[in-house]
Structures are given as structure tokens and as C-alpha cells.
Amino acid sequence: MAEQGVGGDAAVLGGQAAVEKSGWWREFASVFMQNGGLFGDLWNLVTLAAVAALAQWYWGGALTLVLFLLGIVLPGRIDGLLGLGDGPSTDPRNFAGSSGATYFLGATLALAFLTRTRVPKEIALAAGVPVLGLAMWLAQDNGHGLVSVYGFALAAVVRVVRSRLVRSTGQTA
């Protein structure tokens, strides 16, 4: 029963309706409690911690926390805006959880990497994150791929806003 409670209810109810009917906290709780068993939970949380540490190193603590929280709540909302809420790829279990947060934060780092390198192989690797994410979503209806695209796109917006703020205040990034 506990395994079904985190993502299963949301999957049955679907999207925003799931949050409204089963509690706002489910989106957040699913990051820390999953139905993969103890080993699956630990693996996902350790992976998320490693990616979050890299994100904190690059983006800073406050912005990493904001990106982490947005990685939990934005994908389902964006899906609803794009009208993707009825398809199989919008199963909340594909977006919620530590794997969704990891894909989202990792994609923000791919954008950061893309803007910092001039090596063709590294450029291809970084640019491949949203491209392969979109391919995974199209080929398999796997929402993890779409989460990667969303994270990469949000990081691009953050980078533009950040560079304009730095330019207007005369500070260094």
C-alpha cells in the first residue's frame, strides 16, 4: 500500500487533479519516497545528491534550490500548458521523484557545460542532452526525456537573465 501511495494515486488521478485530490505534498514526497525498494531509493537519492552538489557548485546554493523545486513542480504544469496531459508520457511517476529531479538538474548543467566549452565532442555531448531527451520522449513516450528538455530550456532562460543582471550591475558572474 505504501508503494502505491506516492506515485500510484497520482497516476490514476492524473496531473494537476492528482495534486488537488491527493495533496500538494505528493509531488515533493515522491522525490524522497519511491516504489523502487530500499536499494532503488538509495541509488536514486545518492545520484540526485551528486548531481545537486555539482549544480550547487555551478549555480550556487540558492539558485540550485530554486531549480530543484522547479524541477519538481514545473514539468507537470508545462505539460498541461502544452496539452500533453492526456498522453502516456505525462504519467506523474515519469516527472516526480528523484529521477525526474536528477534529469532536470542534470540538464541545467548540460547547458552550463555547453556555454563553457569549445571542444566539439563536449559541445555535442552537452547539446545531446535535450536532443536525446526529446528523442527518448518521442520514441518511448518516456517523460524523463521531456524533463531533460525542460531543464535545459529553463537553464538557458536563467543564464540569459543572469547575464543581463550582471551586465546591468557591472558585477562578474
Side-chain angles (χ1 to χ4, degrees), residues 75 79 88-91 94-95 103 133 136-137 140-150:
D79 255 20
S89 69
T90 58
D91 180 339
N94 283 341
F95 294 121
Y103 275 67
M136 183 167 67
W137 176 67
Q140 299 178 336
D141 286 328
N142 186 322
H144 288 86
L146 211 48
V147 169
S148 299
V149 174
Y150 295 160

Side-chain angles (χ1 to χ4, degrees), residues 49-64:
V51 172
L54 290 171
Q56 192 277 333
W57 172 76
Y58 181 78
W59 295 111
L63 187 53
T64 296

